[in-house]
Amino acid sequence: KTANPGGEGGSKGTASAAETEVSLSKGVWDDLRGPGGLGERVRRAQSNTIGRLISGMYKSLEGLGFSTGDEFRVAITEALDMKAKVVLGDQDVQTTLDSL
């Protein structure tokens, strides 16, 4: 079924994008009004915005049939096939976002 920009398929995508934009804007506004000094609030807003965008990207990819985390499964499989040493390293996502 092809989406019709003026009909059922087109308006749904537009509403979704508008809802996402409102959600992002509200999140940034909430972060900027939160506790702490101005610099801390701006850093928090930036970090949380990046997190929200990445989360949205993964949700979009899942909607297209991609499985999140597949890139890690493929990387580990390829490394093991090559007899390479696999080192698993991770940290809390908020720590990563705060460092960006």
Side-chain angles (χ1 to χ4, degrees):
K1 182 176 179 181
T2 305
N4 178 357
E8 174 182 279
S11 63
K12 183 177 178 186
T14 303
S16 179
E19 290 169 3
T20 300
E21 186 175 335
V22 168
S23 176
L24 280 171
S25 298
K26 183 182 178 324
V28 170
W29 182 247
D30 289 346
D31 290 335
L32 290 173
R33 291 188 318 170
L38 179 61
E40 179 184 344
R41 293 189 318 247
V42 168
R43 280 190 295 279
R44 183 173 48 243
Q46 290 171 330
S47 170
N48 289 343
T49 299
I50 292 168
R52 289 179 191 106
L53 291 170
I54 291 171
S55 176
M57 178 192 69
Y58 276 113
K59 286 178 186 173
S60 294
L61 289 173
E62 287 174 351
L64 295 172
F66 291 92
S67 274
T68 56
D70 275 352
E71 66 273 22
F72 297 109
R73 285 185 281 279
V74 169
I76 289 171
T77 299
E78 292 295 320
L80 294 174
D81 287 349
M82 295 173 24
K83 308 274 190 268
K85 182 178 179 181
V86 176
V87 178
L88 302 177
D90 201 4
Q91 63 183 358
D92 179 67
V93 68
Q94 193 60 50
T95 302
T96 301
L97 294 173
D98 288 344
S99 70
L100 295 176

